[in-house]
Amino acid sequence: MNAPTPEGNYFLSYSRSDEEFALRLAKDLRARGVAMWVDQFDIRPSEHWDRAIERAVRNCRGIVVIVSPRSVESNNVADEISFAIDSGKSVLPVLIERCALPLRLTRMQVIDATGKYERALQLCADELRQRDSDASQSTPAMPAHEPLDPSGVSLARERLAPILGPIAGRLVEKAARQAGSIEELYRILSLRIESEPEREQFLGLGGAEPVLSKAPPPAPEGCRAQISAGELDSMSKLMVRYIGPIAPLVVKREGRAAVSLDHLRDNLAAMITNQNERAEFLRQAGG
């Protein structure tokens, strides 16, 4: 029997130290009709392990992450989570032992499997089925547009790599699917650059006007928002998922210009180009 392809399946991300629980969960989810792709079951002996994992993460519909003190220290698990999120895929964390959640998982629904296993299994199966149902009923998030010039995309990747390192390739690949022009591509990518001089230089190379190069003027004294440090911090933590480490700087700037917390939230949402991600941000931010 041939191993199943990753397309249409959920990828199981876990630390080798948690293999016993992970494989048990995967088997039980399969028995309940959830399509799971698991390295231990589905990589053929002749396949290159690393390439098979990369292909599976790239082509899966989403990932299930086994969260434990071991997995949060695993570089492989961190890479799989980051790639899935950056690719707009569904991520479902399953907590099997108390630990500090990685930043990118803190705002997600988490299945607590530290107690009764059968209940956690059922919750996990129900949630994945619901996500499949929601996806099948949804309409395309963004209108189709002509593919960008491959040479322009490749050049953007070459220019971003010295600034952000190896992750640049993934970011460019995702942004190129969203952007309708090379200028828009550069604007989307610039949100990932923390250094203001580097951001302005990068935008200039793409022919795009700097969108964050100058702080917005503060609101008039009588209209200035009374936004607390805690509220700014909460917004920053939400925005990190969408624009990366530059989020605190962006939120601080927008906060100085906002006339209310709702105004700040809406301005931040406008920076998120993906419609589904923007809706998720607004939901989490109380919009």
Side-chain angles (χ1 to χ4, degrees), residues 185-213:
L185 173 67
Y186 276 75
R187 281 195 292 270
I188 294 171
L189 294 172
S190 72
L191 296 175
R192 299 285 186 166
I193 302 175
E194 186 171 2
S195 165
E196 187 168 327
E198 289 182 319
R199 186 167 61 253
E200 290 190 13
Q201 182 181 18
F202 180 76
L203 282 166
L205 292 172
E209 290 296 325
V211 292
L212 298 173
S213 59

Side-chain angles (χ1 to χ4, degrees), residues 41-98:
F41 303 152
D42 300 323
I43 297 181
R44 295 185 294 268
S46 59
E47 285 188 283
H48 188 285
W49 191 275
D50 290 343
R51 291 174 186 167
I53 292 292
E54 180 179 352
R55 184 169 61 254
V57 177
R58 186 181 301 277
N59 295 328
C60 69
R61 71 173 67 182
I63 71 171
V64 176
V65 185
I66 305 300
V67 181
S68 73
R70 280 82 54 192
S71 67
V72 299
E73 294 296 328
S74 167
N75 290 332
N76 289 338
V77 172
D79 287 344
E80 290 160 4
I81 293 172
S82 293
F83 184 83
I85 292 175
D86 290 342
S87 300
K89 296 182 183 295
S90 166
V91 178
L92 180 63
V94 178
L95 182 70
I96 65 170
E97 191 174 328
R98 299 296 176 190

Side-chain angles (χ1 to χ4, degrees), residues 2 16 26 29 32 54-55 60 62 67 72 105 107 178-179 207 217 233 237 240 253 259 274 280:
N2 292 330
R16 279 279 174 263
L29 286 173
R32 283 163 173 74
E54 180 179 352
R55 184 169 61 254
C60 69
V67 181
V72 299
L105 299 183
R107 297 291 176 174
Q178 302 171 355
D233 183 59
K237 289 178 179 177
V240 162
R253 285 178 172 172
V259 298
N274 181 279
E280 177 65 12

Side-chain angles (χ1 to χ4, degrees), residues 231-232 235-236 238-239 242-243 247 250-255 261-273 278 281-282 285:
E231 289 169 331
L232 291 174
M235 289 291 183
S236 297
L238 285 175
M239 287 297 289
Y242 305 105
I243 65 174
V250 173
V251 172
K252 184 178 180 181
R253 285 178 172 172
E254 294 297 321
L261 183 60
D262 287 345
H263 184 209
L264 171 62
R265 181 201 63 220
D266 293 343
N267 285 350
L268 294 173
M271 298 179 184
I272 303 173
T273 57
R278 185 164 57 250
F281 168 78
L282 288 170

Side-chain angles (χ1 to χ4, degrees), residues 128-204:
L128 294 175
R129 291 195 199 100
Q130 183 60 51
R131 293 185 183 191
D132 288 346
S133 175
D134 292 344
S136 66
Q137 296 173 15
S138 64
T139 56
M142 300 183 68
H145 55 72
E146 291 296 321
L148 300 183
D149 177 11
S151 62
V153 175
S154 178
L155 185 58
R157 185 183 301 110
E158 292 176 10
R159 289 169 169 171
L160 190 64
I163 303 173
L164 298 185
I167 196 175
R170 295 178 181 176
L171 296 178
V172 172
E173 180 182 343
K174 178 186 178 184
R177 294 196 297 268
Q178 302 171 355
S181 68
I182 291 296
E183 287 189 5
E184 186 180 1
L185 173 67
Y186 276 75
R187 281 195 292 270
I188 294 171
L189 294 172
S190 72
L191 296 175
R192 299 285 186 166
I193 302 175
E194 186 171 2
S195 165
E196 187 168 327
E198 289 182 319
R199 186 167 61 253
E200 290 190 13
Q201 182 181 18
F202 180 76
L203 282 166

